[in-house]
Amino acid sequence: MHPHEPHFPHSAGSPPEHTGQQPDRTPSLDKDTAPPSPWAQPDPRTGGFPAQDAPPQPQAGPYPPVAPGQYAPGYYPPSGPPAPPQHRPRGLMPWDRPARHPWEIPLLIVVIMITAVAYLLALLLMTVELFADPIVDERGVEQTGSIVTSPYVLLLLFAPVLLWAGRGLNLATQRVNGVKMSPTQFPEGYRLVQEAAARFGMHKAPDAYVILGNGQINAFASGHGFRRFVVVYSDLFEIGGAAREPDGLAFIIGHEVGHIAAGHVSYWRQLGMFVAPWLPLLGSSLIRAQEYTADNHGFCFRPHGASTAMATLAAGKYLNTDVGVDEMADRAALDRGGFVWLVNAMASHPVLTWRMWALRDRSRPGPMFWRPSAPHPGMIPPHGGYPLNSTPPALPPKPV
């Protein structure tokens, strides 16, 4: 999930019929000896995920339903009423305003300064080329080669136009090929987008589209002009549609709307960080910090959907219930080595184990450069080992 165009990353039979009561496929464990999981704390103030069977945390300031007869029951208009006033403190927990990762703005300033220098050098080279005397060799033949014709210099010179055109083409592609979410098309996702925009204090909810995923798990946010939009791949949407667990989709939509709310898809911001893909470590670190910021938005919108979303990114939408998210998150403190550090440093998204750790431990921002460590010696692995994770899929579907 990326603030702009995606650059990363089944088929299943119909679910069994619901016969009234969910069969209990959870293995029998001694409740007195089974280690408690930080992901299943009943109170999010403890720093872990709320219990999966706990009632959802109330969302602050959702758009109220419009008068009956104007829209389908339970869904909201595209723009909604004015956003509620933002008086909550910024933090990492659901009742706060989503916190921006502390590394994001310092890295953004450095990248913008480097990009500005690159623009100035390109303009200087063009100016020198236009006004300098031609270069001739010893035979008096004028040299025709020019550094201005370098693809990198041309890319910098035309960056404003290329970025504007690319964003416009991206939006047009979704408008003519994507299925636009509405009260009648993908209504669950449509409502989640409206509620996420209201949660983050946005005055207008972005458009949202579903496109064919062809087995890929992805989603992204972008914009053009004054328009902002979210795109969800169809394979990912099935997590939270009428067929599957909705909380994972809610977290992911909150993540993508969070990119828009945090200003990550702004034209001027993307123009200012235009050279980020060519800056080793520095550019990828900036984008990782943005992803942590978007994760904070997703957590504040639907905290109990974070574990489902991370499990889906790790093992896919059909095997996500077999992922021990607590066990996988603990590996962030156990897996060490130079190549582990390098993989994270070069990645545009935080590696999954570090990302899961950050979503579990809400007492501090996500780790950027150094692996996290357990707050108490002997915590990892927990005493008694990890419980067998065989949670049955959500049947019948949970309501959005």
Side-chain angles (χ1 to χ4, degrees):
M1 294 155 289
H2 199 273
H4 32 273
E5 290 67 326
H7 57 282
F8 289 109
H10 319 297
S11 174
S14 57
E17 295 183 1
H18 176 56
T19 58
Q21 185 177 1
Q22 194 74 256
D24 186 8
R25 299 193 303 218
T26 305
S28 60
L29 293 174
D30 187 352
K31 295 183 179 180
D32 296 330
T33 60
S37 170
W39 299 78
Q41 296 294 332
D43 184 0
R45 296 174 187 270
T46 59
F49 280 103
Q52 294 297 321
D53 55 353
Q57 296 291 328
Q59 304 298 327
Y63 294 144
V66 296
Q70 297 184 15
Y71 288 87
Y75 302 112
Y76 311 119
S79 58
Q86 296 295 330
H87 53 78
R88 298 178 298 273
R90 286 195 178 274
L92 300 174
M93 301 306 289
W95 53 84
D96 302 331
R97 294 176 61 194
R100 193 181 295 272
H101 195 280
W103 276 96
E104 180 183 336
I105 297 303
L107 289 172
L108 177 64
I109 293 174
V110 173
V111 170
I112 288 178
M113 292 175 62
I114 295 175
T115 304
V117 170
Y119 286 148
L120 291 175
L121 286 176
L123 289 173
L124 180 62
L125 289 174
M126 183 184 68
T127 303
V128 170
E129 185 71 20
L130 290 176
F131 295 100
D133 294 332
I135 300 176
V136 296
D137 58 16
E138 62 277 3
R139 295 177 298 176
V141 179
E142 182 177 340
Q143 299 293 319
T144 57
S146 172
I147 194 173
V148 177
T149 60
S150 166
Y152 297 104
V153 175
L154 292 176
L155 191 64
L156 288 170
L157 291 175
F158 291 98
V161 176
L162 293 175
L163 181 61
W164 175 82
R167 287 162 59 92
L169 289 173
N170 187 18
L171 173 59
T173 300
Q174 315 314 322
R175 295 176 66 188
V176 299
N177 292 323
V179 181
K180 189 174 183 179
M181 295 186 192
S182 70
T184 55
Q185 295 184 133
F186 297 96
E188 296 91 349
Y190 172 79
R191 188 175 75 174
L192 290 173
V193 172
Q194 305 298 313
E195 291 178 347
R199 172 65 179 85
F200 306 145
M202 299 171 63
H203 293 277
K204 182 178 180 181
D207 294 333
Y209 299 90
V210 176
I211 63 173
L212 180 63
N214 281 328
Q216 297 185 44
I217 303 295
N218 207 347
F220 65 93
S222 188
H224 178 63
F226 295 103
R227 305 182 71 164
R228 300 292 182 264
F229 62 93
V230 171
V231 175
V232 179
Y233 283 31
S234 58
D235 295 80
L236 182 57
F237 188 86
E238 291 177 7
I239 302 171
R244 290 193 178 271
E245 174 72 49
D247 292 332
L249 179 66
F251 176 89
I252 292 171
I253 286 181
H255 173 105
E256 298 303 337
V257 176
H259 276 304
I260 298 174
H264 297 166
V265 303
S266 165
Y267 169 82
W268 296 107
R269 182 186 180 113
Q270 292 186 1
L271 186 64
M273 50 185 289
F274 190 78
V275 301
W278 294 279
L279 298 177
L281 303 182
L282 183 62
S284 59
S285 297
L286 169 59
I287 301 177
R288 282 202 314 281
Q290 293 183 159
E291 292 300 322
Y292 275 131
T293 296
D295 273 354
N296 292 340
H297 283 74
F299 187 87
C300 286
F301 177 55
R302 190 62 63 89
H304 44 282
S307 58
T308 304
M310 293 299 105
T312 301
L313 293 178
K317 62 182 180 180
Y318 299 120
L319 300 178
N320 54 7
T321 56
D322 292 327
V323 177
V325 188
D326 188 54
E327 182 176 353
M328 187 169 178
D330 282 347
R331 285 174 30 218
L334 299 178
D335 295 337
R336 63 187 69 187
F339 286 109
V340 171
W341 179 89
L342 188 61
V343 167
N344 176 77
M346 295 178 61
S348 62
H349 289 59
V351 292
L352 276 178
T353 52
W354 293 23
R355 195 173 179 185
M356 290 177 177
W357 181 285
L359 286 169
R360 183 182 65 181
D361 179 11
R362 303 308 292 166
S363 64
R364 67 197 70 186
M368 280 287 296
F369 305 105
W370 308 109
R371 63 183 177 88
S373 57
H376 303 291
M379 283 185 58
I380 303 175
H383 178 70
Y386 298 99
L388 177 62
N389 189 49
S390 58
T391 305
L395 294 173
K398 295 181 181 179
V400 178

